[in-house]
Amino acid sequence: MARSSRHSVQRDHHRAHRLVAGFFAAALAVIGGIVAAEAVRIGGDALERPGIDSFYEYAAADVDGDPGTIVKADPLLGAPFAARGWRIMYRSTDLNGDPVIATGVVVVPVTPAPPGGRTILSWAHPTTGSARECAPSYGFDPYTGIEGLRSLLDRGFAVVATDYTGMGAEGADSYLIGTTEGNNVLDAARAAQHVLGDSVSDRLVLWGHSQGGQAALFAAERARDYAPEFDLEAVAVAAPAADLTDLLGAHLDDISGVTIGSYAFSAYSEIYDVPISDILTPAAIAIQPQMNELCLLSNIAELHRIGEPVVGDFTTSDPTTTEPWATFLKDNSAGSVAFDAPLFIAQGLDDELVIPEDTKDFAEHEASLGMRVTYHEISFATHGTVAYLAIPGLLHWLDRVGVR
């Protein structure tokens, strides 16, 4: 009996080894498949680089057409695992209602669309800069900045991501111009419908981070009048640049204020036709060409090197109380009107750019308008990490509010 029992234990031990070996073989096969898919995607990205500038060129006549209609759409050789993608150029409008051109990307799972079509998720990106070359769709990997993309594709969304007007394709600046950005976000969803046809629905979710939080909020506030064909199901933002008076006011005397202010005051001077010398010092004006040519994430050390000497000598007066700049900041702050969709606001408590107390105040303001607001704090999240760390909470919230 002892020998038989011992042999039984040995057989079980060998079987466990086979199971473990099989598990690791399967895991390695999955990892190998993902690595191979990523290699194909990166190879596709590389093959698309030659001649990419020609995609962003357009004729004056191309501007004419309904907002959201396509000027051009190119299938992308590199795409996320089990997905297809397109680089798009589409028509939109600016804060004055004038026609403009915008660019971006569309990405969709390869799995069959559900009955009635996929829900569209329009993503609004955080600050990448203001120069044409800072457009996310122009980057080597045009998907890399779409925070939570893998989870959103796995959920079945058709994801579209605008660059905003003036980035990618030639056009007037739109940095922190809420109405233009919001129109770009909504028209991107229309453009996705033109590209994807019956595989997508009129159901719409908005998701944005930082500058993109402002854009998504403006899109939500404008959706009923500007794009009434959509069923706006949910709006989610992470560390949104919601109140520009608070945001700029908190950073008037630091390098963040110089960097953001260089992008913003240049845009406001151009769009509202007000001399930038009315608000910036001569030293600050001197560095504007350099600051506005540099993209944020890839040149942050250089931006800081250029900007540090004017910290404390950037503005001639407080723009949050000096007209017309105070009005520009107010007009481009979210929260002036309510919208019907539920709102998810994520905020990192270690965020040193968008002050947590300011975001909490904004959440309370939105709730005071009668809106359904979920405020989601993440204790260890910074401004750069909050959107990624918010994804589990965002997905749980989407389930709770019935968005599929």
Side-chain angles (χ1 to χ4, degrees):
M1 290 293 291
R3 183 179 299 138
S4 174
S5 176
R6 183 165 57 251
H7 288 170
S8 176
V9 170
Q10 289 171 344
R11 285 194 299 272
D12 289 344
H13 186 63
H14 292 157
R15 186 180 299 113
H17 271 295
R18 289 196 300 273
L19 289 171
V20 170
F23 170 80
F24 278 107
L28 287 172
V30 171
I31 293 170
I34 292 173
V35 170
E38 285 298 289
V40 169
R41 180 181 62 78
I42 292 170
D45 291 339
L47 289 172
E48 289 161 0
R49 298 314 294 174
I52 189 173
D53 288 335
S54 64
F55 179 86
Y56 295 92
E57 298 172 356
Y58 64 93
D62 290 331
V63 178
D64 297 331
D66 292 334
T69 54
I70 293 290
V71 177
K72 59 178 85 171
D74 284 359
L76 292 171
L77 298 174
F81 179 69
R84 295 177 296 153
W86 293 261
R87 184 177 284 110
I88 60 172
M89 177 182 286
Y90 64 97
R91 300 174 179 91
S92 189
T93 60
D94 66 10
L95 78 165
N96 298 315
D98 294 328
V100 292
I101 291 292
T103 53
V105 294
V106 174
V107 58
V108 64
V110 296
T111 53
R118 301 183 189 280
T119 298
I120 299 171
L121 184 141
S122 194
W123 159 250
H125 67 79
T127 298
T128 59
S130 62
R132 289 184 58 206
E133 294 75 14
C134 306
S137 77
Y138 184 83
F140 181 84
D141 183 348
Y143 313 102
T144 190
I146 304 176
E147 291 159 314
L149 177 60
R150 182 73 265 159
S151 296
L152 301 173
L153 291 174
D154 290 344
R155 195 178 182 88
F157 287 124
V159 179
V160 61
T162 183
D163 293 325
Y164 311 130
T165 297
M167 299 179 67
E170 193 73 52
D173 203 341
S174 62
Y175 185 71
L176 294 182
I177 307 293
T179 297
T180 304
E181 292 172 334
N183 292 352
N184 295 164
V185 169
L186 293 170
D187 287 327
R190 287 168 162 161
Q193 290 181 319
H194 285 289
V195 171
L196 300 174
D198 291 340
S199 68
V200 293
S201 69
D202 290 330
R203 299 186 305 275
L204 178 63
V205 173
L206 305 175
W207 166 226
H209 174 204
S210 191
Q211 176 193 358
Q214 178 217 25
L217 289 165
F218 265 82
E221 292 173 3
R222 295 181 55 74
R224 180 186 297 174
D225 294 329
Y226 186 80
E229 72 271 24
F230 285 115
D231 177 11
L232 183 60
E233 292 200 325
V235 179
V237 294
D243 189 320
L244 299 187
T245 302
D246 286 346
L247 178 61
L248 268 295
H251 298 288
L252 285 178
D253 294 320
D254 64 27
I255 189 59
S256 294
V258 171
T259 305
I260 296 169
S262 291
Y263 294 151
F265 292 130
S266 291
Y268 289 0
S269 175
E270 175 189 350
I271 298 304
Y272 295 109
D273 194 23
V274 178
I276 201 168
S277 57
D278 285 359
I279 194 62
L280 296 191
T281 65
I285 293 171
I287 66 172
Q288 291 308 291
Q290 294 170 281
M291 296 293 282
N292 280 276
E293 288 173 359
L294 295 174
C295 303
L296 182 65
L297 297 180
S298 56
N299 295 286
I300 194 163
E302 181 68 2
L303 285 163
H304 285 190
R305 184 192 69 78
I306 297 167
E308 285 285 0
V310 303
V311 171
D313 185 32
F314 184 61
T315 58
T316 57
S317 59
D318 184 346
T320 67
T321 58
T322 302
E323 294 296 349
W325 308 94
T327 295
F328 298 159
L329 296 175
K330 181 180 178 181
D331 288 348
N332 289 288
S333 295
S336 61
V337 296
F339 49 86
D340 292 335
L343 173 61
F344 175 91
I345 303 174
Q347 176 63 46
L349 298 186
D350 284 349
D351 193 329
E352 296 181 351
L353 182 62
V354 174
I355 306 303
E357 194 62 33
D358 290 343
T359 303
K360 185 176 180 180
D361 288 345
F362 178 74
E364 292 173 352
H365 166 75
E366 296 292 85
S368 75
L369 298 178
M371 294 171 55
R372 295 164 288 166
V373 180
T374 297
Y375 179 58
H376 182 64
E377 291 182 338
I378 304 174
S379 61
F380 50 88
T382 65
H383 192 72
T385 63
V386 62
Y388 289 108
L389 294 173
I391 292 298
L394 169 61
L395 297 178
H396 176 73
W397 175 77
L398 289 172
D399 285 335
R400 186 157 56 82
V401 297
V403 175
R404 299 301 305 171

